[in-house]
Amino acid sequence: MRVVPFIISAVFSSALIVGLNKQWGSIPPMGKFLHPQYGFWQNAEPSSQSFDADLSIEDLKGNANVYLDERLVPHVFAENDEDLYFIQGYLHAKFRLFQMDLQTKAAEGRASEIAGEKAINYDKEQRRLGMRFAAENAMKEIEKEAAYKKLFDAYTNGVNTYINSLTESSVPLEYKLLNFQPEKWTNLRTALLLKMMAKMLSSGTEKDLDYTNAKAIFLPDQLKKLYPQVPDSLLPIIPKGTAFEKPGIIPVPPANADSLYINNTESVVANEISKPDINNGSNNWVVAGSKTQSGVPILSNDPHLELSLPSIWYEIQLQTPSSNTYGVSLPGSPFIIIGFNDSIAWGVTNSQRDVKDYYDIKFKDDKTKEEYWFNGEWQKSSLRVETIKVKGGDDVLDTVAYTVFGPVMFDKSHPDTIKGNRNLAVRWTAHDPSNEAITFYKLNRASNYDEYVEAIKSFECPGQNFVFASKSGDIAIWQQGNFPARWDRQGLFVMPGADSSFMWQGFIPQEENPHIKNPARGFLESANQRPADSTYPYFIPGSYISARAITIENYLKDMNAITPDDMMKLQNNYFNTLAEDVRPILLKYIREGDLSSTEKKYLDIFRNWDLMASPDSKGQTIYQCWFDSLEVGIWKDDLTRSNPMAPWPEEQTTMEWLKRDSAFSFIDDITTPEVETIYDIVTAALKKASVNLAKNEMEGKLEWSKFKDPTIYHLLKTALPAFARTGLHVGGNGNIINAVTHSHGPSWRMIVQMSTPTEAYGVYPGGQSGNPGSKFYDDYIDNWVNGKYFKLWYMREGDRLDKNIKWTMKFKKA
């Protein structure tokens, strides 16, 4: 009888072994995950962890050292460029491998391999947008010059050297949780990462589909008023009054533009699943020595992106006998993106320019998509069969047709996934062959204004505002990108694609991109506003933001004897310029006698508010809820006449209309028999907002930071809530200098004073390590929240025994 319990025990043990080594839904194989020798326990990093290392590597050409300071910032000293970028790749992989892997898989449309079927539509969209196609075209440009290709090869070899050194126990925690393995790095993956940045910063700056729906319900003159190209309150990047050269190219609209395009009222139901965040933007400014206490320029930059753990940025210093550069890099790509060297400093903000258009395509057969009508005949499509591998499911096939314009992103054959009633091809400058990364290689080594200009010439997409300062005293800003030269209103709406007449006719010559050097006023700034006033000779649509630039200009013009500390305070400023304009309007038109005691209480708080969107401000919460409610009261009845709904006018536009004409036609609610006045709408807006305000007050969330709950999520968002930082005590908003929203904001703050020696400060909301089990995972966040900075240690050859060095990694040629 002993055999029976033995059999039962054996069966149970076998089942347990199988069960613990199998993935059940989203639960990883628990046997491996909990294993004491190679499970998640091994990712817990002791606070006394040493990062000293002696490495012998065959791929190196010489010897190199990496000096890690107390914040885990690496100071890389190499004998040549190839070793420098090999080591940068190695360090990126060592501290940020999962981030690099996840972001490039997502860029390519391979998220389903990790997330399963819920990511299929996202992957289809990435592939239909042509993300890999764009990266492949970039590789053609990268590989044209052998010298530059060697740098990318070296970086890739560094990443793979680290990947090959991993053991089962040292694989990053996320791989164990999601039960997959790191994948070999390639130069193409670096190109994919850069194209993902292009999507984040240029794919969301057009509203062609939205404006097409608006055109279905509004007359051309109404469209110009609702969505103006030049706001009344604009303070452009290039100061007003600057004279521009005559245009080098004058695009001509086709003769049938009015009938086929401007007056075409057909709507479109296509909609992007992963539209980039509208708050993607940045601030940068530079002040000349004439306005600083030190007598030398000071440059400031804070790019606004989705806040994540690990951070989008990785701080690093890269030094060879011929260059020495400090700043932040993008894990997955070589070079320093924002930073400084011995001679210059530079920063970037997004241009917000529209460089992506849609064209209506007619297929001979909507099912096969093999031919499309163009220039009076059927043209052959280039068909790309995409295979989407799905974790836990069958492969999904999707055929994407490529036309003379680009890939057909939306078509009639996929109504169940990407809704659409028309075939829409996308023309996007990111598809064109280019090598944006080399701009940063050159900037890392530039020593003066001319070399800065030469460096940025190769940067095509996304358009950026490159701000510059040098130790020779020069300051400058240049909006750089490959921008299509458009005729008036070209590309605002879906365009006819039956022939070449609506295609771009060329690009604005690079030397005619808006730029300025050493202005008499002694400062320059950009904050995602329109780059030039209406005298600029080209039509330049985009999704511009005006308010932050106005605030920055108002402060800088009155500041003198400026110090780095002044610049830190300005980067963390909470003043709400838009509310300064809106408050008199709301107070003028509110019917106070119609308010309840609770509504009067909120009105009094708002009336006495200091206009600062600080963390504890109740006035900011009341203002935002009231103004949001007012916008709904003014616009929603008109915008919903289109299905899908037409886009909301910008907050700045609403404010300017209310200042200009309190009786403008959109005040009236067309869904009611009454004719509403501005008094009705403003009062009703506060009443509606008060309901929400009272609810939040009862929950203890009337203070601004509690209301918006600033949060820095792990890259996997809600899948790993324990790895996030929530409830941060920080104020701000998207149109305020300190542009923190719920999970978006200043991703890196940098101040550089061009003194000798260079004096620089920086901070980002994260930490150097991507390991949630490391004390370096999120150790910068408290400083970032409190507006504090780290002094950036610009190490030199003679500092190898400096007390700032905590650990040393020695790289030797094997």
Side-chain angles (χ1 to χ4, degrees):
M1 295 295 292
R2 291 181 180 178
V3 72
V4 174
F6 173 78
I7 292 172
I8 293 173
S9 176
V11 170
F12 177 77
S13 297
S14 299
L16 188 62
I17 291 169
V18 171
L20 288 176
N21 286 280
K22 179 180 178 181
Q23 178 154 348
W24 298 90
S26 61
I27 300 172
M30 295 306 290
K32 292 171 63 177
F33 186 69
L34 297 173
H35 197 285
Q37 291 182 318
Y38 49 78
F40 82 97
W41 317 96
Q42 295 298 317
N43 298 102
E45 198 174 272
S47 59
S48 59
Q49 174 77 32
S50 173
F51 296 95
D52 289 329
D54 282 285
L55 303 167
S56 295
I57 299 171
E58 289 185 6
D59 287 340
L60 293 176
K61 294 182 176 299
N63 297 329
N65 287 326
V66 177
Y67 304 98
L68 294 154
D69 63 29
E70 63 181 2
R71 294 192 292 114
L72 205 64
V73 175
H75 305 262
V76 184
F77 282 66
E79 296 172 358
N80 58 79
D81 283 352
E82 287 181 61
D83 286 355
L84 187 72
Y85 298 119
F86 177 97
I87 293 170
Q88 186 181 17
Y90 186 96
L91 293 171
H92 278 172
K94 179 177 176 63
F95 293 107
R96 300 292 187 85
L97 180 59
F98 175 75
Q99 173 184 9
M100 296 161 60
D101 201 356
L102 178 70
Q103 289 178 332
T104 50
K105 278 189 169 74
E108 192 175 0
R110 296 175 57 198
S112 300
E113 296 176 23
I114 301 170
E117 63 180 13
K118 63 185 177 185
I120 291 173
N121 287 350
Y122 170 86
D123 285 346
K124 281 189 176 182
E125 182 168 280
Q126 292 293 94
R127 295 171 188 235
R128 285 168 163 261
L129 179 57
M131 292 294 288
R132 184 182 173 102
F133 169 71
E136 289 169 346
N137 286 337
M139 285 306 305
K140 295 173 186 176
E141 197 68 21
I142 289 170
E143 293 176 348
K144 274 185 179 179
E145 295 191 47
Y148 291 150
K149 183 179 181 297
K150 285 181 181 179
L151 305 180
F152 288 90
D153 288 343
Y155 178 86
T156 290
N157 290 339
V159 174
N160 287 328
T161 297
Y162 179 76
I163 290 174
N164 293 335
S165 74
L166 287 171
T167 63
E168 192 170 6
S169 64
S170 62
V171 167
L173 175 61
E174 293 91 344
Y175 290 102
K176 299 174 183 179
L177 280 167
L178 297 170
N179 192 29
F180 75 105
Q181 293 298 312
E183 184 175 300
K184 182 181 178 181
W185 198 257
T186 63
N187 290 352
L188 180 66
R189 299 189 78 183
T190 292
L192 280 163
L193 176 74
L194 297 176
K195 292 305 175 183
M196 193 64 165
M197 292 300 295
K199 178 187 175 182
M200 286 171 57
L201 299 173
S202 71
S203 183
T205 55
E206 51 80 20
K207 297 180 180 178
D208 301 18
L209 303 180
D210 292 332
Y211 287 156
T212 298
N213 292 325
K215 184 160 61 77
I217 56 175
F218 297 119
L219 298 172
D221 285 346
Q222 290 177 312
L223 288 170
K224 289 182 178 181
K225 293 175 180 178
L226 291 173
Y227 313 110
Q229 290 297 312
V230 185
D232 294 349
S233 51
L234 173 69
L235 290 179
I237 296 170
I238 308 305
K240 291 180 179 179
T242 301
F244 297 104
E245 298 291 331
K246 291 183 178 180
I249 178 173
I250 302 176
V252 179
N256 56 2
D258 283 347
S259 59
L260 293 185
Y261 178 61
I262 300 298
N263 297 321
N264 181 351
T265 59
E266 185 180 3
S267 61
V268 58
V269 298
N271 184 46
E272 288 185 71
I273 295 169
S274 59
K275 189 85 169 176
D277 195 306
I278 59 171
N279 290 305
N280 284 340
S282 305
N283 302 320
N284 65 26
W285 59 81
V286 61
V287 290
S290 60
K291 286 180 72 70
T292 67
Q293 189 178 85
S294 63
V296 299
I298 301 176
L299 181 145
S300 305
N301 191 198
D302 56 297
H304 307 155
L305 298 167
E306 187 69 16
L307 305 180
S308 64
L309 289 169
S311 168
I312 192 171
W313 302 110
Y314 180 76
E315 197 175 334
I316 194 168
Q317 181 178 358
L318 299 173
Q319 198 264 8
T320 68
S322 61
S323 67
N324 191 358
T325 312
Y326 192 113
V328 285
S329 58
L330 284 171
S333 176
F335 319 130
I336 285 172
I337 307 301
I338 298 170
F340 60 94
N341 60 30
D342 271 319
S343 303
I344 74 163
W346 74 94
V348 294
T349 64
N350 200 34
S351 72
Q352 305 296 113
R353 296 273 288 273
D354 177 3
V355 293
K356 178 180 158 207
D357 288 343
Y358 292 96
Y359 290 86
D360 222 333
I361 300 298
K362 179 184 177 182
F363 286 120
K364 189 174 184 178
D365 181 342
D366 284 336
K367 187 174 182 179
T368 64
K369 299 179 283 192
E370 293 178 347
E371 295 179 276
Y372 65 99
W373 187 254
F374 184 74
N375 279 346
E377 60 182 349
W378 294 109
Q379 302 274 358
K380 288 284 187 184
S381 305
S382 174
L383 298 179
R384 193 163 181 155
V385 180
E386 300 283 358
T387 303
I388 300 171
K389 295 190 175 299
V390 182
K391 183 177 182 179
D394 296 331
D395 291 355
V396 173
L397 300 180
D398 187 28
T399 300
V400 182
Y402 280 72
T403 69
V404 66
F405 303 102
V408 176
M409 187 170 177
F410 303 101
D411 62 44
K412 299 173 184 177
S413 66
H414 290 275
D416 59 325
T417 54
I418 301 174
K419 294 180 179 179
N421 64 348
R422 294 157 72 176
N423 304 311
L424 301 180
V426 61
R427 173 70 178 100
W428 183 29
T429 58
H431 288 152
D432 299 339
S434 62
N435 184 0
E436 281 77 19
I438 217 63
T439 285
F440 299 107
Y441 174 80
K442 292 178 178 179
L443 276 175
N444 288 189
R445 289 155 178 76
S447 61
N448 54 47
Y449 175 79
D450 290 340
E451 291 178 2
Y452 144 81
V453 173
E454 181 61 32
I456 65 175
K457 280 182 179 179
S458 61
F459 198 91
E460 296 191 8
C461 182
Q464 297 287 289
N465 302 306
F466 285 87
V467 70
F468 166 87
S470 71
K471 288 198 174 179
S472 63
D474 289 328
I475 66 171
I477 197 164
W478 199 302
Q479 184 166 99
Q480 176 57 31
N482 203 26
F483 302 115
R486 304 173 183 270
W487 38 267
D488 182 37
R489 289 174 284 179
Q490 183 184 15
L492 285 185
F493 321 110
V494 174
M495 291 189 284
D499 57 39
S500 59
S501 59
F502 285 83
M503 295 178 77
W504 297 343
Q505 297 171 20
F507 294 89
I508 297 173
Q510 191 271 339
E511 63 274 12
E512 294 179 31
N513 285 337
H515 63 279
I516 190 168
K517 177 186 178 187
N518 295 333
R521 66 182 190 173
F523 72 90
L524 293 165
E525 58 79 20
S526 72
N528 312 124
Q529 76 271 43
R530 182 183 160 96
D533 61 20
S534 58
T535 63
Y536 186 64
Y538 293 99
F539 177 66
I540 52 171
S543 296
Y544 303 117
I545 303 168
S546 299
R548 272 187 281 111
I550 295 170
T551 310
I552 294 166
E553 289 250 353
N554 287 341
Y555 276 100
L556 289 179
K557 70 181 182 182
D558 294 330
M559 294 174 69
N560 289 293
I562 297 169
T563 65
D565 187 61
D566 293 328
M567 298 292 87
M568 294 178 200
K569 290 175 182 175
L570 188 55
Q571 281 189 334
N572 288 274
N573 185 277
Y574 288 136
F575 187 76
N576 193 329
T577 290
L578 183 61
E580 183 181 35
D581 287 320
V582 169
R583 182 161 64 178
I585 298 169
L586 299 183
L587 293 179
K588 179 178 180 180
Y589 294 112
I590 185 71
R591 287 197 180 109
E592 194 166 350
D594 293 349
L595 303 179
S596 68
S597 58
T598 299
E599 292 157 359
K600 287 180 179 178
K601 178 182 72 172
Y602 295 139
L603 177 62
D604 286 341
I605 294 172
F606 171 73
R607 180 184 284 121
N608 296 304
W609 172 41
D610 63 1
L611 295 175
M612 291 287 181
S614 52
D616 298 324
S617 173
K618 296 179 180 179
Q620 168 67 24
T621 307
I622 294 166
Y623 157 75
Q624 197 63 58
C625 290
W626 189 359
F627 194 60
D628 289 349
S629 181
L630 179 64
E631 288 188 293
V632 171
I634 293 172
W635 302 116
K636 187 176 180 181
D637 57 316
D638 294 282
L639 302 180
T640 51
R641 290 191 291 128
S642 167
N643 185 19
M645 182 178 173
W648 296 91
E650 297 291 337
E651 287 184 330
Q652 201 81 13
T653 301
T654 302
M655 178 274 293
E656 290 176 1
W657 263 112
L658 292 172
K659 286 181 74 171
R660 188 188 309 121
D661 180 10
S662 62
F664 75 113
S665 60
F666 293 101
I667 287 287
D668 178 43
D669 184 348
I670 61 176
T671 66
T672 69
E674 296 81 19
V675 177
E676 285 80 12
T677 67
I678 191 170
Y679 293 95
D680 299 323
I681 297 295
V682 168
T683 303
L686 179 56
K687 286 181 171 292
K688 290 178 182 177
S690 294
V691 175
N692 185 37
L693 291 166
K695 178 177 178 293
N696 278 277
E697 187 173 22
M698 287 183 64
E699 296 172 357
K701 297 179 181 178
L702 192 58
E703 291 83 1
W704 182 232
S705 65
K706 294 177 181 177
F707 179 83
K708 67 173 179 168
D709 185 26
T711 297
I712 304 175
Y713 292 102
H714 184 273
L715 284 169
L716 294 175
K717 293 283 187 179
T718 55
L720 292 176
F723 295 166
R725 286 285 299 271
T726 63
L728 300 175
H729 191 250
V730 60
N733 207 7
N735 58 6
I736 287 165
I737 295 179
N738 194 353
V740 180
T741 61
H742 170 61
S743 61
H744 195 280
S747 59
W748 163 245
R749 294 187 182 122
M750 182 184 77
I751 312 285
V752 185
Q753 178 169 271
M754 305 307 296
S755 50
T756 302
T758 304
E759 188 177 334
Y761 304 86
V763 68
Y764 65 77
Q768 287 288 91
S769 176
N771 178 12
S774 169
K775 70 177 183 180
F776 296 105
Y777 174 67
D778 61 357
D779 55 318
Y780 296 177
I781 291 179
D782 291 341
N783 274 31
W784 178 85
V785 165
N786 294 313
K788 296 180 180 179
Y789 293 67
F790 299 107
K791 189 165 186 177
L792 306 183
W793 182 42
Y794 188 59
M795 184 179 171
R796 298 180 181 276
E797 274 287 350
D799 296 332
R800 292 174 186 252
L801 299 178
D802 194 281
K803 63 181 180 180
N804 285 311
I805 298 171
K806 186 78 172 174
W807 303 281
T808 302
M809 298 175 68
K810 297 178 180 179
F811 288 77
K812 297 178 181 178
K813 179 176 175 58

